[in-house]
Every structure is written in C-alpha cells, then in structure tokens.
Amino acid sequence: MHDTLSRAHDCDVAIVGGGPAGSALGSLLRIHRPSLSVRILEREVFPREHVGESLLPYVCSVLNEMGVWEEVERANFPIKIGATYRWGTTHDLWDFEFMPAKLFTEFDRPGSYQGQRTQTSWQVDRAQFDKILLDHARKLGCECVEGIGVAKVERDGDRILNLQLSDGSSMTAKHYVDASGNAAVIRRAMGVQVDEPTSLQNVAFWDYWENTEWAVTVGSGATRVLVLSLPYGWIWFIPLGPTKTSIGLVCPAKHYKQMGLSPAQLYEKAIQEEPKIRELTANATREGQVRGTKDWSFLSRRLVGENWYLAGESAGFADPILSAGMTLTMSGARELAYTIAEIDRGGEDAQWLKQAYEQIQTKRIGQHIRFADFWYSANGQFTDLKEFTRELARESGLELDADRAFQWLGTGGFTQDAQGVAGLGETSLKIVKQLAQRLTSTTAGWKIAQYSAFRPVLKDSISEPHAVYEGGRVRQVMRLVRGNRIWPLDGIYGLVFQGLRATPGVEGVGNYVASMHMRQGGSDPKHAFYEAMFTLEALANEGWVEGYDDPRFKPIPAFTEEDTLFVHRNVDVAMPEPPSGA
C-alpha cells in the first residue's frame, strides 16, 4: 500500500532506499533528533525478497538502540550462535562461535536483550525482517513512501538540487542520503567512482528450500550457519525459520563463465556435489527460482558531498564469507544518523563531522575486504598464502618478509577496527587470532603471557582528535597516531592507557580496567578484565607497548579454553565420508 505524501515535497532528510540502512538511519534520526523531518523513498512495496540473511551480534545492539529488538525477536527467527565451516584443503569441520554452544542455556522465547542474548544474533528472512524495520521507522515518525522511486537526481556541481520521482513529482531536502544498495541512485548520479581493492570477483546464486534438516540445533531454536567449501567456491546453508532455509553458491565469475552453464544448472550441480547439503535436503522441496547477483567487494572513493551522503551498500561491500554485510550497513547507518543530527545541532564543525564519517567507513569496509581476501587465500584462491599475507601486512604499515608476515597473521594481525575494540569489526582479537591460526596452521602464544609488565612506546607518535559516537552525539576524543597505526584514548583502549599509567603490571592493568568498568555501571568484571588483556595484546602486536620482566609482578596464567576457545573442531555435525581419493 502506497503512502500519500502528506505535505509539500520538502523535508530535512531524504533517504533513498527503505532497506536496513535507510530504516536504521531514519529511526535513529527520529530518536536522537526528533525535530528533523525524515522521508524514506522505497521503490518497492514491502515485503520484498533480499539476500544477506545471516547477522552478527553488533547488529542486535543497533536494533536495541532503535527500540525494535524485541519486535524482531517476536518473529521467532533462528538464533545464531556462530558458524560451522569446512574450509581450505581439509575435510574437517570447525566452529566459529560468538559464544560456545556448551554455555548456551535454555530459555523461553521471545526473550529479552540481556545476558547471553547480547552475544548472539539471528538468521532472518529478509522480506520479513526488512518490513519490520521499515514499519518501525514509520512508527517513529518517518514518512515512508513505498512504490515510488527516484527517476532523476537534479544537481548543481556537488550539490543536489532536488529529486525527480517516478510518479512525476519532485522533492527537496536539506540532506540527501543514498541507501539504495546496488542501485546506488545518488552515487551514480554524482559520478562517484568505486575501487575494487581485491582480485576476487565472485557471483552468488541461491534458492529457498522448505523442510530441510538443520545441520545442528542448540537449545531453544539456536543454530549455526553452515559454510562448506568446494574446489571452485563455497555453499551457504542458512535456516531462516522452522521450515525455510536459504542455500546459496558463491564462486568466481570466471568459473561461472568457463562452465557454460545457466545459473540454475550451476547451482544444481553444486548441490549434488556436496554430500552434506544433499543429505540435509533429501526430504525438502525447492522454491525453484534461482536468483543471482555479482558479489565482489568494492569501496566508493567518496562517501559525502556538499549535501549528500552514501550509506549501506552504496558506500561499499565486502564479500559475504564473514557475514559482515549487515554489520557494515547498521554501524554506518548509526554513525551517519549521529553525524546528521550533530550537524543540525551545530555542535561540531560540519566538515570535520563529514570527514570523520567517511574515514571510519572507508577504514572499516577496507579491513573487512582484506580479511575476506585472507580467507579466500586459505581456500586456494591465491597461489602463495605466505606472500599474500606479506601484502596484507604491508597495507597495515608493516614491512615483513613472507614468513614473518605469516606469523603476524597467526597472532591476529588485523587487531584494530574503527569501532574502538581490539579486533576486526564484530570479531574480537581472541577470535581473530584463532581464525588466523587455524587458516594458517600456525601456533602462536600470547605476548601478554610472556611478560609480567608492559610500558607504552610513544616515540614519534602525534596526538589528534577523532570521532566517538555515543548516546546520539559525536564527540572529539584524542588518539595517538604513528604512521597508519592508531591508539584511541577512549573506550577500552583509553582505560588500558590509564591502567598502564597506574601500574605496569599486566594483571594490575586488567584489574584497573575491570574496576573502572564497574564504576561506569558495568556488570561483568571478568569480561572487562579479558577485554583489557586482548586490547593490551593488540597494542603489543602493533608496537605501542613493549613487555619486560618486573620481579614485583607475575605474568598472567595462560587463558583457559572456556575463556578463549571460540574457534574449535566441530563435534555436533555428522559429515558423510568423503569419496575415496578426495
């Protein structure tokens, strides 16, 4: 059903696209700056299908801030606690878990966003999920116009003058946002070029199935997605509800062209070649409509203009092997909402706010693209894994030979994302280390277990402001910079900096952070202690701190399996025997 435009074609913020980026942006603007009028233009009428069903836990924190988490929970989507992989040249299965399955406890659904549910996510039917989010934005006061698209963007240089709509009308706004995904309505109209910082150019084909078996069921409707590598790509198996499952194939575009098969034929061939998928679908039925899309990573060269912004997949896209798409979308939408609200308040310099938004998205998307490349290198997509890790290290500002670069990756090389935590995106350092070690077959210890004390190494560093997004506001907080290495002085990084000033002892730093965490209203001092340890490890890997032995302090004991082992051999998925000679 189409909404009627309720007033003249003018609003404060015009958002092109009603998917998760547009809905989250609109909702958060209405929550944090309700004086702004927001109009969301969506060319489709929801519900409509979309790929990208597997979420990471960070998405849930944004949904909770939007006030829509409980409504999504009531949709009874399967709870995601991680993923089970068969990757590389081995037939072994291993799990990548947000929280170990053995710690996941039974509870009644719908649940609430607390305790273990803050560490989990869902696998969602995007038609239903996206409609919930758009309807929620409407409830918060966004004017959501479905079934009307943008026919033309009128511009004057780098400034948008108005939007010409598909119904023959036009509209103007103070701020224009492109949240139109692959359509990239504003990005294309403003002539923004994109970079493809990877040699991976994949395509994806998928279909929906009814009544498949689940590979694993944990507790009250929880599961892990299943990812199985093939010699030419990989298959995803994502339960979306009690009966519906998304099954897709990702492979190089070059392989698809060389095979000379239709998308449906290539898809069916892959399903039949994978014994586990064949087993799980033995009693299931296919919808029979194979969808397809090009699936390669890219990053827009510009994300902001005089009065326009790019959000979601119009800004950039990372290969889906890490299920990072929705995390990139929702984190970016949140930060753009804060940015536009702050510009409207006049609280910070508008140019600095725009620059901060662009820099943080560019860095985050770029890191996800590089880490995805590393995954593919471990699956034989690159000829020399060690040489490839050398290139990754060089991009991070480290000149290492191939062997040292390989070891660097095994110790968790991508240790600082733009979100201010020790890790990559929503993947903590403890998991990054374990993933990298499994993919490289290396074994590396923790530097923080080798020394009793650490001291900062700040030579040649400079201090500069960076943006922190909290409580609907954007604040300038100082950070230390040396080359392209950064030590933020806020959040967990800031607490570790303060802890090192209070005591050089490793355990003392952890206890300091845990104590401050409790003073600031936290509820889990053990978690805060370990996050401090992971942060200190990241700083040691990046050369911001150096370890030494001090007889006044004792090294911390090695981490226990329960504390750190979130990547491990799978024990709950039975796999068919591989064919002889495989």
Side-chain angles (χ1 to χ4, degrees):
M1 182 175 181
H2 298 188
D3 289 357
T4 302
L5 296 178
S6 62
R7 53 183 177 272
H9 298 290
D10 295 298
C11 62
D12 293 312
V13 184
I15 302 171
V16 182
S23 296
L25 173 62
S27 293
L28 291 171
L29 281 170
R30 293 295 302 162
I31 289 171
H32 296 303
R33 193 62 173 167
S35 60
L36 289 173
S37 58
V38 180
R39 181 175 299 159
I40 300 175
L41 297 168
E42 171 52 54
R43 66 182 180 183
E44 305 288 342
V45 176
F46 282 18
R48 57 91 177 93
E49 288 183 359
H50 205 283
V51 73
E53 304 104 339
S54 186
L55 312 184
L56 299 179
Y58 178 80
V59 173
C60 296
S61 70
V62 179
L63 296 175
N64 188 56
E65 183 178 347
M66 291 166 57
V68 74
W69 189 93
E70 291 186 355
E71 189 170 352
V72 177
E73 167 68 359
R74 285 195 294 272
N76 202 36
F77 296 125
I79 299 168
K80 179 182 176 182
I81 65 168
T84 295
Y85 287 87
R86 186 191 65 217
W87 200 251
T89 58
T90 177
H91 291 288
D92 294 338
L93 291 180
W94 49 276
D95 298 334
F96 164 24
E97 297 184 312
F98 310 140
M99 64 176 301
K102 63 184 180 182
L103 301 182
F104 188 82
T105 58
E106 287 286 341
F107 65 95
D108 294 329
R109 297 191 71 184
S112 57
Y113 188 68
Q114 60 183 349
Q116 65 180 1
R117 295 307 304 280
T118 64
Q119 301 176 56
T120 62
S121 64
W122 299 284
Q123 293 144 208
V124 299
D125 182 330
R126 285 288 301 276
Q128 188 178 359
F129 176 77
D130 290 9
K131 180 170 173 54
I132 290 172
L133 267 56
L134 185 61
D135 288 347
H136 182 73
R138 183 180 283 114
K139 293 174 187 175
L140 291 175
C142 294
E143 186 175 16
C144 301
V145 184
E146 297 180 61
I148 297 178
V150 175
K152 185 179 180 181
V153 178
E154 295 282 358
R155 57 179 290 194
D156 181 10
D158 196 43
R159 183 174 186 80
I160 294 178
L161 300 176
N162 61 69
L163 301 178
Q164 301 291 321
L165 306 184
S166 59
D167 67 348
S169 64
S170 65
M171 62 170 291
T172 61
K174 295 179 183 177
H175 307 275
Y176 297 87
V177 178
D178 187 346
S180 63
N182 288 332
V185 172
I186 289 176
R187 189 189 79 207
R188 297 178 193 276
M190 302 308 289
V192 177
Q193 300 297 308
V194 301
D195 292 320
E196 297 173 359
T198 173
S199 60
L200 293 171
Q201 294 190 338
N202 291 333
V203 291
F205 304 111
W206 69 97
D207 199 354
Y208 297 104
W209 295 67
E210 286 291 327
N211 298 315
T212 67
E213 299 292 331
W214 284 14
V216 61
T217 300
V218 181
S220 304
T223 186
R224 291 186 295 270
V225 301
L226 188 62
V227 173
L228 300 173
S229 66
L230 298 169
Y232 51 86
W234 57 279
I235 290 177
W236 78 66
F237 181 94
I238 305 175
L240 304 179
T243 63
K244 187 175 182 179
T245 299
S246 171
I247 304 178
L249 166 68
V250 177
C251 69
K254 183 178 179 180
H255 174 79
Y256 165 56
K257 293 176 182 177
Q258 288 176 340
M259 291 297 292
L261 301 175
S262 70
Q265 290 171 330
L266 186 64
Y267 178 83
E268 291 161 5
K269 180 176 182 293
I271 296 297
Q272 290 303 311
E273 287 178 349
E274 174 42 60
K276 187 61 182 179
I277 300 298
R278 199 166 63 240
E279 174 187 297
L280 294 173
T281 58
N283 299 315
T285 56
R286 268 180 59 195
E287 186 174 299
Q289 181 182 347
V290 175
R291 294 86 166 161
T293 184
K294 77 173 189 176
D295 202 19
W296 53 81
S297 304
F298 73 90
L299 182 57
S300 296
R301 293 182 183 177
R302 297 179 62 202
L303 274 68
V304 299
E306 189 172 337
N307 64 342
W308 56 268
Y309 312 80
L310 306 184
E313 289 185 10
S314 68
F317 176 78
D319 189 278
I321 185 60
L322 298 172
S323 299
M326 194 67 74
T327 295
L328 296 173
T329 290
M330 299 297 270
S331 58
R334 175 179 179 270
E335 287 151 359
L336 182 54
Y338 283 34
T339 298
I340 293 174
E342 204 67 66
I343 290 173
D344 187 68
R345 294 187 191 99
E348 295 282 358
D349 176 69
Q351 194 59 36
W352 178 81
L353 289 164
K354 291 180 180 180
Q355 184 181 44
Y357 169 76
E358 183 172 70
Q359 288 178 345
I360 198 171
Q361 309 313 316
T362 299
K363 178 180 179 181
R364 183 182 295 136
I365 297 169
Q367 285 187 322
H368 276 280
I369 290 173
R370 289 196 300 274
F371 199 47
D373 280 356
F374 171 69
W375 274 66
Y376 279 99
S377 71
N379 198 35
Q381 296 289 111
F382 294 89
T383 57
D384 191 328
L385 178 56
K386 286 188 177 182
E387 193 59 37
F388 180 69
T389 59
R390 183 182 183 184
E391 293 300 315
L392 292 178
R394 182 178 290 119
E395 289 181 10
S396 294
L398 301 175
E399 285 295 337
L400 304 175
D401 61 35
D403 287 335
R404 289 178 62 207
F406 202 61
Q407 180 72 4
W408 165 77
L409 222 305
T411 61
F414 297 95
T415 52
Q416 186 183 302
D417 180 87
Q419 296 187 58
V421 296
L424 173 72
E426 188 55 25
T427 307
S428 172
L429 176 59
K430 60 182 178 289
I431 300 178
V432 172
K433 284 173 69 76
Q434 291 166 13
L435 287 173
Q437 289 179 35
R438 175 164 288 275
L439 292 175
T440 61
S441 299
T442 61
T443 301
W446 292 75
K447 292 184 178 181
I448 53 174
Q450 299 172 14
Y451 302 98
S452 62
F454 280 84
R455 54 183 163 236
V457 180
L458 305 182
K459 183 180 179 181
D460 298 326
S461 66
I462 61 172
S463 180
E464 68 177 25
H466 77 121
V468 174
Y469 302 83
E470 292 178 341
R473 302 301 302 263
V474 185
R475 297 185 295 112
Q476 287 196 27
V477 176
M478 301 309 293
R479 65 184 180 183
L480 299 174
V481 179
R482 181 167 55 222
N484 64 350
R485 314 306 286 175
I486 297 171
W487 186 346
L489 298 181
D490 63 290
I492 189 71
Y493 276 93
L495 289 178
V496 169
F497 183 84
Q498 297 170 24
L500 287 168
R501 296 180 65 180
T503 175
V506 175
E507 188 172 8
V509 172
N511 288 335
Y512 176 89
V513 171
S515 173
M516 293 301 296
H517 169 76
M518 296 302 290
R519 289 187 193 179
Q520 295 172 3
S523 59
D524 191 345
K526 181 179 179 181
H527 176 75
F529 179 92
Y530 279 108
E531 286 303 315
M533 295 297 97
F534 302 139
T535 302
L536 190 60
E537 178 77 10
L539 292 168
N541 288 339
E542 296 170 355
W544 281 112
V545 299
E546 62 180 6
Y548 64 98
D549 291 319
D550 188 320
R552 296 175 298 167
F553 309 106
K554 294 181 179 180
I556 63 169
F559 293 128
T560 65
E561 177 177 313
E562 181 176 312
D563 291 320
T564 64
L565 196 56
F566 286 71
V567 180
H568 55 83
R569 185 181 294 274
N570 174 269
V571 296
D572 54 17
V573 178
M575 288 292 289
E577 288 295 322
S580 59

